[in-house]
C-alpha cells in the first residue's frame, strides 16, 4: 500500500497538512469492511455510525473486472482518483462544484487526521473494492479541511 500512502502524503504536503502514518489496525479495519461489502453484493456502502466502532473517516472505491478478469490495480490508483476531486473543491467557500463529489479529497487532506489504513478485496465477479479508514476522521460540516 506504499502507493496509497505516498499519494495521500503528496496531496497533504501541497496544502500544508502533516504526513499520515500507516496504521495496521486501520488496515485490518478497512479489510474487514471491504470483505463485508464483497460478501454482501459488492456495493459501495459506508459503515453507519453504529458500525464504525473505531470512529473513522472512510473512503471507498470500486473497480470493475476487465472481461471477467481481475484488473491489475496499483494501490496508488484509488488515491489518485480521490485526489483528482480537488479540481471540484473550492477552499474559499468550502464547497464542491455542483453535482460533483469532493469529500474523498477533503478526507485525504484533513489536517487533524493522523493515521490511515487501507485494504482491497476482490468480489465474486472479480471486481474490486478498496477501502481506506482515517483517524481521527474529517469532513465535519462547516470546518475547512486545512
Amino acid at each position: 500500500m506504499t502507493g496509497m500512502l505516498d499519494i495521500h502524503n503528496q496531496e497533504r504536503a501541497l496544502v500544508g497538512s502533516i504526513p499520515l502514518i500507516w496504521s495496521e489496525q486501520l488496515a485490518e479495519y478497512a479489510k474487514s469492511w471491504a470483505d463485508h461489502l464483497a460478501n454482501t453484493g459488492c456495493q459501495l456502502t459506508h459503515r453507519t455510525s453504529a458500525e464504525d466502532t473505531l470512529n473513522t473517516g472512510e473512503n471507498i472505491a470500486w473497480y470493475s473486472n476487465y472481461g471477467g478478469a481481475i484488473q491489475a490495480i496499483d494501490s496508488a490508483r484509488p488515491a489518485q482518483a480521490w485526489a483528482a476531486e480537488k479540481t471540484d473543491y473550492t477552499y474559499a467557500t468550502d464547497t464542491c462544484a455542483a453535482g460533483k463529489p469532493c469529500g474523498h479529497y477533503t478526507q485525504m487532506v484533513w489536517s487533524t487526521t493522523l493515521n490511515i489504513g487501507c485494504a482491497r478485496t476482490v468480489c465474486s465477479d472479480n471486481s474490486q473494492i478498496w477501502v481506506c479508514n482515517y483517524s481521527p476522521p474529517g469532513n465535519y460540516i462547516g470546518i475547512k479541511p486545512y
Side-chain angles (χ1 to χ4, degrees), residues 50-81:
E51 292 166 323
D52 186 9
T53 58
L54 295 183
N55 186 32
T56 63
E58 187 170 72
N59 280 350
I60 303 175
W62 177 83
Y63 292 92
S64 67
N65 60 41
Y66 185 74
I70 299 170
Q71 289 192 63
I73 305 290
D74 179 86
S75 69
R77 189 166 163 190
Q80 289 165 335

Side-chain angles (χ1 to χ4, degrees), residues 76-134:
R77 189 166 163 190
Q80 289 165 335
W82 297 330
E85 292 179 2
K86 70 183 167 186
T87 61
D88 296 315
Y89 176 69
T90 303
Y91 182 82
T93 58
D94 193 29
T95 58
C96 302
K100 299 285 189 172
C102 66
H104 299 103
Y105 167 71
T106 56
Q107 175 58 84
M108 288 178 76
V109 298
W110 199 267
S111 65
T112 58
T113 297
L114 304 173
N115 301 291
I116 184 176
C118 305
R120 172 192 81 125
T121 293
V122 176
C123 300
S124 61
D125 66 354
N126 288 334
S127 63
Q128 300 172 47
I129 289 187
W130 291 76
V131 176
C132 286
N133 286 110
Y134 304 84

Side-chain angles (χ1 to χ4, degrees), residues 14-76:
L14 292 173
V15 298
S17 293
I18 63 171
L20 293 175
I21 298 169
W22 186 261
S23 165
E24 282 302 322
Q25 179 188 21
L26 290 176
E28 290 171 15
Y29 193 63
K31 179 67 171 154
S32 70
W33 190 247
D35 288 347
H36 166 78
L37 294 176
N39 293 328
T40 56
C42 222
Q43 299 297 311
L44 294 186
T45 307
H46 288 282
R47 285 181 176 96
T48 65
S49 54
E51 292 166 323
D52 186 9
T53 58
L54 295 183
N55 186 32
T56 63
E58 187 170 72
N59 280 350
I60 303 175
W62 177 83
Y63 292 92
S64 67
N65 60 41
Y66 185 74
I70 299 170
Q71 289 192 63
I73 305 290
D74 179 86
S75 69

